[in-house]
Amino acid sequence: MQGFYTILLLVCSNVFMTLAWYGHLKMGELAWFQKWPMIAVIAFSWGIAFFEYCLQVPANRLGFEANGGPFNLVQLKVIQEVITLIVFAVFSVIAFHTQLRWNHFAAALCLIAAVYFVFGFK
């Protein structure tokens, strides 16, 4: 169950991370938000990122093998990167109407290969 909770926390963490990193670009379409100075936009993003860290830190501690979790450090990083790119792809399609192309799917296959190589060999 620790592996499941680790991945769930990382997914939730990455939703906040994506909103903190890129949400202000979408909010920039709002007239009232365009008037904000850069320091306010940064503070706003930091406020969102706080929740990312509140989920990401426990996820890594829970999932790390030295703390009784099922994943080594490299596995945790690869899981996090795959989740990041999946969450980002969903966000970019929903918020920015990005069209996914063949090269995006080819990159996804490379991520699947990375997961295989990290988890498949001991």
Side-chain angles (χ1 to χ4, degrees):
M1 282 307 280
Q2 280 183 286
F4 173 77
Y5 290 128
T6 297
I7 291 170
L8 180 64
L9 286 168
L10 287 173
V11 168
C12 295
S13 165
N14 275 279
V15 169
F16 283 107
M17 181 191 74
T18 301
L19 291 173
W21 284 19
Y22 304 105
H24 63 89
L25 298 175
K26 185 65 176 174
M27 290 183 66
E29 296 173 2
L30 304 172
W32 61 269
F33 195 78
Q34 290 175 1
K35 297 174 185 175
W36 284 23
M38 184 57 70
I39 192 69
V41 175
I42 291 169
F44 178 79
S45 291
W46 276 359
I48 296 170
F50 170 78
F51 296 102
E52 175 218 344
Y53 277 86
C54 287
L55 297 167
Q56 180 269 337
V57 170
N60 284 329
R61 289 183 67 91
L62 181 66
F64 187 48
E65 64 188 358
N67 295 330
F71 306 118
N72 65 40
L73 187 63
V74 175
Q75 291 170 332
L76 276 171
K77 184 59 180 172
V78 169
I79 291 168
Q80 189 272 331
E81 291 299 333
V82 169
I83 290 170
T84 296
L85 292 172
I86 291 169
V87 169
F88 177 77
V90 170
F91 174 81
S92 68
V93 167
I94 292 172
F96 289 93
H97 309 291
T98 302
Q99 289 208 294
L100 298 179
R101 297 192 178 100
W102 72 268
N103 55 320
H104 300 122
F105 293 104
L109 289 176
C110 291
L111 288 172
I112 292 167
V115 170
Y116 172 77
F117 286 118
V118 167
F119 284 89
F121 300 102
K122 298 259 178 183

